[in-house]
Amino acid sequence: MNVKIEESWKRVLQPEFEKGYFATLTEAVRREYSVASCYPPGRFIFNAFNLCPFDKVKVVIIGQDPYHEPGQAHGLSFSVQDGVPFPPSLQNIFKEIHDDLGKPIPTTGNLTRWAEQGVLLLNASLTVRAHQANSHSQLGWQTFTDAAIRALASQRQHVVYMLWGSYARGKAYMINRQQNLVLESVHPSPLSANRGGWFGQHQFSRCNEYLISQGVEPIDW
């Protein structure tokens, strides 16, 4: 199957595109987009991969599924399009960056600037039906995105994996902790963050310290 995705990821993930589940997934997603409002817009479904080539990945941040309200999702986990109010989780992410690194709260929640520096902002499910969280979680996306994580884990070293919340932390078994840095915490959503374990973890400075120690340019968060 000829999938429109960034060339280095296309090369790495080509075996997945030839599997039966991916054909079934593609058909299910097309059907969903034809009968209901779904997000992100089709051109953004593989945005995380298109903005962050395989050999450029420095950091992986795993989300569960796209935002499901109009105008928010554009294919990057936790990110919203320019001009969209910050969702609560993103507010807490920016607050922790401010507390950790002293950076001012940005004026936009569009994290394209992170992706272009090598942060793979990967949702486990790449699509969702409007107003229905996790509505596409059974379509087969997780098989595909797990394959992407496995490819990184097996072919790349010295990558920082930021696993927030029990869902993302459930992916840790795929990652070699001797060859990479795994930073785990509660989810930045208010329900979790306000109970403790999100604020004050200094994940963003720890990430950059690790990258620098490996001779890699740090992320301008």
Side-chain angles (χ1 to χ4, degrees):
M1 183 180 298
N2 185 25
V3 177
K4 292 181 179 179
I5 192 171
E6 191 275 332
E7 282 302 317
S8 63
W9 279 108
K10 189 172 188 176
R11 183 175 62 253
V12 169
L13 294 173
Q14 189 61 44
E16 301 303 307
F17 301 145
E18 305 305 324
K19 293 178 181 177
Y21 87 85
F22 194 83
T24 302
L25 166 63
T26 301
E27 182 56 37
V29 170
R30 284 180 179 147
R31 184 170 60 250
E32 279 287 294
Y33 273 71
S34 70
V35 302
S37 293
C38 296
Y39 304 118
R43 69 186 183 279
F44 289 136
I45 290 175
F46 293 113
N47 206 24
F49 299 100
N50 293 336
L51 291 174
C52 187
F54 181 80
D55 57 350
K56 304 293 186 185
V57 175
K58 302 176 184 178
V59 181
V60 180
I61 299 177
I62 299 173
Q64 198 156 349
D65 71 334
Y67 295 121
H68 50 78
E69 297 302 323
Q72 293 181 308
H74 63 129
L76 304 177
S77 63
F78 296 100
S79 179
V80 291
Q81 300 193 56
D82 291 323
V84 176
F86 302 166
S89 292
L90 189 55
Q91 291 181 35
N92 283 339
I93 290 169
F94 287 153
K95 184 177 186 301
E96 175 61 13
I97 291 171
H98 171 73
D99 294 346
D100 186 13
L101 298 171
K103 295 182 69 67
I105 303 297
T107 57
T108 176
N110 188 329
L111 302 181
T112 295
R113 62 189 184 278
W114 292 4
E116 291 174 340
Q117 294 179 75
V119 182
L120 181 67
L121 295 160
L122 183 64
N123 280 314
S125 294
L126 299 187
T127 60
V128 69
R129 189 181 278 215
H131 318 303
Q132 298 179 37
N134 290 319
S135 49
H136 287 180
S137 62
Q138 302 303 314
L139 297 187
W141 276 126
Q142 292 171 45
T143 302
F144 175 72
T145 53
D146 278 1
I149 296 168
R150 285 195 179 93
L152 279 169
S154 64
Q155 299 180 42
R156 295 286 316 282
Q157 295 182 9
H158 313 311
V159 172
V160 181
Y161 293 83
M162 304 176 92
L163 308 181
W164 303 337
S166 58
Y167 183 84
R169 293 167 81 173
K171 309 291 185 182
Y173 75 94
M174 294 185 272
I175 304 161
N176 185 329
R177 292 175 184 262
Q178 277 69 52
Q179 297 177 344
N180 305 278
L181 177 64
V182 179
L183 298 174
E184 299 184 53
S185 75
V186 302
H187 197 275
S189 66
L191 185 64
S192 298
N194 293 339
R195 290 200 297 250
W198 168 255
F199 296 110
Q201 300 298 305
H202 303 288
Q203 292 190 57
F204 300 94
S205 58
R206 289 161 64 195
C207 169
N208 278 353
E209 287 165 4
Y210 177 82
L211 293 175
I212 292 168
S213 75
Q214 301 301 323
V216 178
E217 185 77 19
I219 304 299
D220 180 5
W221 298 106

